[in-house]
Amino acid sequence: MTQFMDVHHGMQGVTEDQLRKAHKADLAIEKEEGVHFERAWADPNSGTVYCLSEGPSADAVQRVHERAGHKADEIHPVPFSV
Amino acid sequence: MTQFMDVHHGMQGVTEDQLRKAHKADLAIEKEEGVHFERAWADPNSGTVYCLSEGPSADAVQRVHERAGHKADEIHPVPFSV
């Protein structure tokens, strides 16, 4: 299992409620892909959302996001952290 | 206090040891700017490092990073998270 940081652009004006609902949509189906979404952070001004997850591959992370209706623009494996 | 996600580009090949040392350098001086660096994640292939912090302003976060020798390329306030 690897950690991933994915990034969504163009999310200007995203609200806390929208972020929570999007995260819940991921959580509802993530197990089918062996993924777990841990956290997400939003900058509504620049329209950027960062999601931290753990899973078997970037493709599996993307499949969850796509099926939940919000494909990521970038997915970076982050093999280590402090 | 606001949370911030900052991003460093051009860090291709960064090692776990380098990330830990850079994070320690931030922690050593962060209090002088009222900032706390919580976590950092590295993707050595794309050369991207993400840092999550809490502080009074993006400028304060950048001052810590600059004084520690690793200015951030982007700093985004992330006023809410899940």
Side-chain angles (χ1 to χ4, degrees), chain B:
Chain B
M1 297 286 269
T2 305
Q3 276 200 311
F4 295 90
M5 185 71 83
D6 69 71
V7 188
H8 303 252
H9 299 293
M11 305 290 287
Q12 281 81 3
V14 63
T15 66
E16 192 160 4
D17 190 52
Q18 287 170 331
L19 183 69
R20 191 165 34 231
K21 282 180 179 159
H23 186 60
K24 271 192 182 173
D26 289 328
L27 295 181
I29 59 170
E30 65 180 15
K31 283 204 180 100
E32 296 164 26
E33 300 287 353
V35 170
H36 177 53
F37 283 92
E38 299 177 11
R39 297 278 308 270
W41 298 267
D43 174 8
N45 287 324
S46 73
T48 314
V49 172
Y50 299 93
C51 300
L52 180 69
S53 65
E54 192 174 64
S57 67
D59 286 349
V61 171
Q62 187 66 291
R63 278 194 296 273
V64 177
H65 270 344
E66 277 192 307
R67 291 173 53 196
H70 42 254
K71 188 175 172 180
D73 296 301
E74 305 171 37
I75 302 185
H76 295 278
V78 282
F80 51 85
S81 62
V82 292

